[in-house]
């Protein structure tokens, strides 16, 4: 499920199939009202309430009083607007009232909160029926509006990415922010660009794969050539015994491909023997008091163990997040999230109709794939982390086959 060899254009993100026109905020009577609403959503209308807004006072006690009177105690998203009525920050909370009131505390421990409050003139919020839906809505809005306080200073090293296997005669592993045509296979997404990049470097070392530019010409030992020209390795890795130097004809095509296959099996989770070998070599180095060598091997082992855990967690989540996830909506109504291999395809009100809803049939027909856009990647990682933190909620996920059987049973009854 984590692999892809196809590179068609990204399909359109799932939409709210029972969406209604988005409400607008009558914030200003001027000709240019600025912000008029968060906009459409993947989250069904049955799980969202109308957007509220508050032009708060500079008096902290007065603002807290306004918030207690007007903001509900429920999950939701909120935004801060400056004097130009431009969104500067978007957040989420499992209790909107308590979260927004904390911005007006007498003493704020977070300087960022005080700065946002000082530079803003208005708060807007949208209640949602479930904390997970609030997280989804927050990611959606940040991706759409790109508020400066959500984007500025965001550590680049925390961005997600993919482990990719390159094409060509001598493939290697490389980092990519998204699925790319340069890759024969892609594994991920995995959060943590900095750590992931270091782990990919280690993978190329321990599995003896090259890391030189793709334009480097390869010449295998069993490759026929007109003249016998001796070629030297183009980097020090051959001397360090961490690369078989396919650029210098020091290995056969089959031997190099064998190394690639071992690395791919590790990424697929079918062969983790390299972890055992690194553990054994580290202990051997330590036993002969080669502590510097043991430290290097320890670091490599920890990096590969980290990557192995992340890929296994993602693989498990994508297997479990396949079906209809039923979460509470407002007015005692269920919200159905259609998931295929961890991706949110659509969100709609729960169906009691004994006929199989078209959105269920459409979701079943979709082929599981790796997300190719930033929002899809972030939502997959978000739901993977949520299901890891709340494993009991996986019981609310019903397979598409069970949904269709339930509806057929209701029709026959």
């Amino acid at each position: 499920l984590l692999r892809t060899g196809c590179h068609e254009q990204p399909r359109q993100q799932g939409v709210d199939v029972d969406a209604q026109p988005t409400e607008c905020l009558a914030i200003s009577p001027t000709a240019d009202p600025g912000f008029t609403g968060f906009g459409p959503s993947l989250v069904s209308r049955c799980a969202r309430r109308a957007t509220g807004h508050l032009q708060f006072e500079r008096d902290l006690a007065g603002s807290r009083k306004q918030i207690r009177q007007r903001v509900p105690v429920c999950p939701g998203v909120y935004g801060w607007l400056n004097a130009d009525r431009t969104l500067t920050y978007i957040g989420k909370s499992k209790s909107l009232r308590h979260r927004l009131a904390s911005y007006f505390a007498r003493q704020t421990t977070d300087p960022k909160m005080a700065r946002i409050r000082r530079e803003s003139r208005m708060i807007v919020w949208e209640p949602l029926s479930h904390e997970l839906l609030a997280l989804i809505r927050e990611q959606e809005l940040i991706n759409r509006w790109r508020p400066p306080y959500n984007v500025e200073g965001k550590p680049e090293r925390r961005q997600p990415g993919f482990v990719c296997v390159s094409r060509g005669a001598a493939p290697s592993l490389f980092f990519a922010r998204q699925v790319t045509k340069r890759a024969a296979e892609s594994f991920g997404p995995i959060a943590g660009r900095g750590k992931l990049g270091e782990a990919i470097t280690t993978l190329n070392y321990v599995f003896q794969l090259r890391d030189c530019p793709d334009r480097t010409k390869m010449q295998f030992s069993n490759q026929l050539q007109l003249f016998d020209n001796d070629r030297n390795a183009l980097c020090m890795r051959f001397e360090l015994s961490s690369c078989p130097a396919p650029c210098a004809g020091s290995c056969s095509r089959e031997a190099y491909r064998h190394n690639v296959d071992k690395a791919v099996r590790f990424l697929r989770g079918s062969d983790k023997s390299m972890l055992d070998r690194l553990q054994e070599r580290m202990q051997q180095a330590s036993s002969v008091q080669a502590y510097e060598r043991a430290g290097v091997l320890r670091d490599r082992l920890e990096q590969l163990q980290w990557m192995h855990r992340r890929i296994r967690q993602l693989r498990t989540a994508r297997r479990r997040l396949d079906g209809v996830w039923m979460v509470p909506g407002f007015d005692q109504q269920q919200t159905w999230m259609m998931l295929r291999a961890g991706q949110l395809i659509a969100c709609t009100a729960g169906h009691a109709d004994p006929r199989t809803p078209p959105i269920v049939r459409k979701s079943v027909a979709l082929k599981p794939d790796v997300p190719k856009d930033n929002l899809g990647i972030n939502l997959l990682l978000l739901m993977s982390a949520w299901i890891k933190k709340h494993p009991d909620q996986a019981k609310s996920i019903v397979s598409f086959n069970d949904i269709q059987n339930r509806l057929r049973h209701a029709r026959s009854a």
Side-chain angles (χ1 to χ4, degrees):
L1 290 176
L2 292 172
R3 296 181 293 115
T4 177
C6 57
H7 307 283
E8 66 261 19
Q9 292 295 320
R11 62 172 176 270
Q12 185 179 359
Q13 281 290 323
V15 295
D16 173 12
V17 296
D18 56 359
Q20 299 171 5
T22 304
E23 68 285 346
C24 289
L25 301 180
I27 292 176
S28 172
T30 62
D32 182 14
F35 177 82
T36 57
F38 285 127
S41 178
L42 295 168
V43 179
S44 172
R45 287 291 300 149
C46 73
R48 293 187 287 139
R49 293 294 195 199
T51 306
H53 67 281
L54 172 66
Q55 193 156 358
F56 56 87
E57 303 175 5
R58 287 302 167 188
D59 174 56
L60 297 181
S63 296
R64 288 197 302 271
K65 182 179 179 180
Q66 286 183 301
I67 288 171
R68 286 194 297 269
Q69 291 174 345
R70 298 183 56 183
V71 181
V73 182
C74 70
V77 293
Y78 60 91
W80 291 83
L81 277 68
N82 61 17
D84 297 328
R85 293 190 171 87
T86 300
L87 271 172
T88 59
Y89 181 74
I90 290 171
K92 72 88 193 171
S93 177
K94 58 183 178 182
S95 175
L96 282 171
R97 182 185 298 174
H98 296 147
R99 178 58 176 167
L100 292 177
S102 69
Y103 279 85
F104 296 92
R106 291 184 180 89
Q107 291 184 344
T108 303
T109 57
D110 186 353
K112 181 179 178 180
M113 292 174 64
R115 190 164 63 251
I116 291 173
R117 183 192 68 206
R118 187 170 54 250
E119 297 178 7
S120 301
R121 298 293 180 270
M122 186 175 294
I123 309 171
V124 291
W125 64 87
E126 182 182 75
L128 289 113
S129 61
H130 194 276
E131 186 181 359
L132 174 60
L133 300 178
L135 284 165
I136 293 172
R137 183 64 161 149
E138 179 193 34
Q139 285 296 320
E140 180 183 60
L141 294 176
I142 291 174
N143 187 76
R144 176 181 302 154
W145 292 98
R146 306 289 290 174
Y149 277 109
N150 290 98
V151 178
E152 287 181 1
K154 193 171 184 179
E156 188 71 13
R157 292 172 64 86
R158 296 182 185 176
Q159 297 299 306
F162 292 85
V163 186
C164 299
V165 183
S166 68
R167 301 177 182 274
S172 63
L173 304 177
F174 66 95
F175 171 89
R177 286 287 302 274
Q178 295 181 342
V179 175
T180 170
K181 292 182 179 181
R182 290 176 52 211
E185 293 186 78
S186 300
F187 299 84
I190 301 173
R193 175 176 180 172
K195 199 165 185 178
L196 180 58
E198 294 170 358
I200 292 173
T201 299
T202 298
L203 277 172
N204 281 325
Y205 266 72
V206 299
F207 287 103
Q208 297 200 337
L209 303 179
R210 66 177 184 88
D211 57 5
C212 52
D214 289 341
R215 63 177 179 272
T216 304
K217 186 177 180 180
M218 298 297 139
Q219 181 177 314
F220 295 99
S221 60
N222 56 346
Q223 182 176 331
L224 297 178
Q225 52 185 334
L226 186 59
F227 302 102
D228 291 332
N229 295 325
D230 292 333
R231 298 188 62 186
N232 296 321
L234 301 179
C235 70
M236 289 292 296
R237 285 191 55 198
F238 177 68
E239 303 296 333
L240 297 173
S241 301
S242 65
C243 178
C247 60
S250 299
C251 69
S252 66
R253 186 186 299 268
E254 292 74 20
Y256 188 88
R257 187 68 223 187
H258 179 67
N259 292 348
V260 175
D261 292 341
K262 287 193 296 183
V264 170
R265 288 198 299 271
F266 173 81
L267 292 170
R268 291 176 183 171
S270 59
D271 182 5
K272 57 177 185 176
S273 59
M274 179 55 73
L275 299 178
D276 298 329
R277 286 199 292 273
L278 285 174
Q279 178 80 30
E280 182 180 353
R281 288 163 58 190
M282 181 188 69
Q283 292 173 347
Q284 289 175 350
S286 180
S287 65
V288 297
Q289 299 183 357
Y291 298 121
E292 185 175 351
R293 176 62 178 165
V296 171
L297 292 169
R298 178 204 58 208
D299 294 342
R300 291 179 179 176
L301 176 62
E302 290 177 350
Q303 289 170 346
L304 295 195
Q305 287 174 332
W306 173 83
M307 178 179 286
H308 178 73
R309 287 194 303 270
R310 289 299 180 91
I311 291 181
R312 182 180 60 188
Q313 174 190 337
L314 184 61
R315 186 182 297 110
T316 301
R318 297 195 73 185
R319 184 177 66 250
R320 298 173 74 181
L321 295 172
D322 195 271
V324 180
W325 195 342
M326 301 177 180
V327 297
F330 287 117
D331 302 325
Q332 299 181 340
Q333 193 172 16
Q334 274 190 338
T335 299
W336 285 11
M337 293 191 293
M338 310 295 167
L339 303 172
R340 287 296 278 152
Q343 292 192 76
L344 180 60
I345 304 302
C347 184
T348 184
H351 289 267
D353 192 329
R355 296 170 297 179
T356 304
I359 190 61
V360 174
R361 295 196 298 269
K362 179 181 178 181
S363 300
V364 172
L366 286 175
K367 179 183 177 182
D369 199 0
V370 176
K372 298 179 177 64
D373 65 322
N374 289 332
L375 178 59
I377 290 170
N378 289 331
L379 289 182
L380 173 56
L381 292 173
L382 184 156
M383 287 188 284
S384 173
W386 180 271
I387 208 68
K388 180 185 178 183
K389 186 177 179 180
H390 307 278
D392 291 343
Q393 294 195 16
K395 299 175 184 177
S396 302
I397 302 174
V398 183
S399 71
F400 290 113
N401 286 337
D402 287 346
I403 284 290
Q404 294 182 83
N405 291 335
R406 286 186 188 186
L407 295 173
R408 280 195 294 267
H409 178 74
R411 180 174 55 187
S412 62

